[in-house]
Amino acid sequence: MWAQAIARARAELAAAGVASPEADARSLAEFVAGSHPHGEISPAHLLLYEQLVAARARRVPLQHVEGRMYFRYLELEARPGVFIVRPETESVVEAALAEIRRIRDALVADLCTGSGAIAIAIATESDARVLAVERSAEAFASAVANNARYGNLVTLVQGDAREELEGYAGQIDVVVTNPPYVAPWHVLSPEVRQDPELALFGGGSDGLDLPRQLVARAHTLLRDGGILIMEHGDEQGRALRAAATACGFVDVTTGRDLAGRDRWLRARKER
């Protein structure tokens, strides 16, 4: 029976230290069954389910086990070597959309797009024209695949976000970015450690070398009055506000996620 299989899986995942054993056991069951699992389970389904649960118990991220991840209204592919987008980034996208929806025919740039999650979410939830930059070849390939799934609404550029889009300097309405910002002293879960280091660590003792560089880059790309929205760690708000102010941004504030944690920088390029 599916109920017994899910119960065993929940216990196995809990013993392995998985943070959400109940939810993961049920997600994997739905992945195997293709719908809400109930009643009898076939031998083939049981074998597959047990194999997937065993992988999750080894702390392979659920998204990699299933090959998919969910973000706002999107279902995206998830592959090893590409950053797994997290739920807290949804509030960052909401902050960006609040700015974008005030602008007619907005031009948006997503720097360090990774799988393309932020860029595709914005493109599917607004009328904005969206550009996205990614350096990693593996992540860029994933962004291309995800973008195609949603009608190729985003213009993707492979390259260094600190250098690309030069032809758009002074023209972008909103720059949004979830850059690498983890400081080297952070203790990371086994799942997070499987994200590529290039997508995690921002450089320097505080993890903010690259974010500071991207603040400066955003100031170059934005039009007068344009807005920067940048995700960051909950201990980094003050440092990034200082960096934005030093670059010439005004109205510099820190946004908070649903848990009340400092989560993103909002700054306006002075007119």
Side-chain angles (χ1 to χ4, degrees), residues 91-101 118 122 174 176 229 264:
S91 61
V92 176
V93 170
E94 192 60 44
L97 285 168
E99 305 293 342
I100 291 163
R101 289 168 178 155
I118 289 176
I122 289 172
V174 176
V176 59
I229 302 289
W264 70 87

Side-chain angles (χ1 to χ4, degrees), residues 45-82:
H45 276 173
L46 178 60
L47 177 61
L48 176 58
Y49 184 58
E50 290 176 342
Q51 290 172 338
L52 297 181
V53 170
R56 184 68 187 99
R58 295 193 301 271
R59 307 301 293 273
V60 176
L62 178 68
Q63 295 87 346
H64 290 170
V65 176
E66 297 184 352
R68 63 185 180 182
M69 58 185 176
Y70 296 97
F71 185 71
R72 293 183 66 85
Y73 305 103
L74 307 173
E75 179 180 323
L76 306 169
E77 71 151 41
R79 63 171 78 173
V82 181

Side-chain angles (χ1 to χ4, degrees), residues 20-225:
S20 52
E22 173 76 24
D24 288 15
R26 292 196 173 277
S27 180
L28 290 170
E30 292 171 2
F31 179 73
V32 171
S35 61
H36 181 68
H38 63 280
E40 295 290 336
I41 180 172
S42 71
H45 276 173
L46 178 60
L47 177 61
L48 176 58
Y49 184 58
E50 290 176 342
Q51 290 172 338
L52 297 181
V53 170
R56 184 68 187 99
R58 295 193 301 271
R59 307 301 293 273
V60 176
L62 178 68
Q63 295 87 346
H64 290 170
V65 176
E66 297 184 352
R68 63 185 180 182
M69 58 185 176
Y70 296 97
F71 185 71
R72 293 183 66 85
Y73 305 103
L74 307 173
E75 179 180 323
L76 306 169
E77 71 151 41
R79 63 171 78 173
V82 181
F83 181 79
I84 296 171
V85 67
R86 266 84 181 176
E88 53 264 31
T89 302
E90 296 194 9
S91 61
V92 176
V93 170
E94 192 60 44
L97 285 168
E99 305 293 342
I100 291 163
R101 289 168 178 155
R102 299 190 184 105
I103 305 166
R104 184 176 180 180
D105 299 323
L107 179 60
V108 178
D110 174 18
L111 307 181
C112 306
T113 195
S115 65
I118 289 176
I120 298 168
I122 289 172
T124 56
E125 295 183 52
S126 74
D127 295 326
R129 179 185 174 195
V130 184
L131 313 170
V133 182
E134 175 54 44
R135 178 181 174 184
S136 161
E138 187 69 26
F140 186 79
S142 181
V144 168
N146 286 322
N147 192 34
R149 181 172 188 172
Y150 289 94
N152 291 311
L153 298 176
V154 176
T155 299
L156 295 168
V157 177
Q158 185 174 5
D160 192 321
R162 296 167 292 186
E163 301 171 356
E164 297 293 341
L165 306 183
E166 187 62 35
Y168 294 94
Q171 300 178 42
I172 306 294
D173 295 297
V174 176
V175 169
V176 59
T177 177
N178 177 18
Y181 58 73
V182 176
W185 48 264
H186 270 287
V187 178
L188 304 177
S189 71
E191 289 85 354
V192 173
R193 287 202 302 269
Q194 294 184 55
D195 278 329
E197 290 191 3
L198 182 67
L200 288 175
F201 299 103
S205 61
D206 57 2
L208 289 177
D209 282 3
L210 179 58
R212 288 189 180 96
Q213 292 170 346
L214 291 177
V215 168
R217 185 60 178 167
H219 194 272
T220 298
L221 293 175
L222 287 165
R223 62 165 172 79
D224 292 348

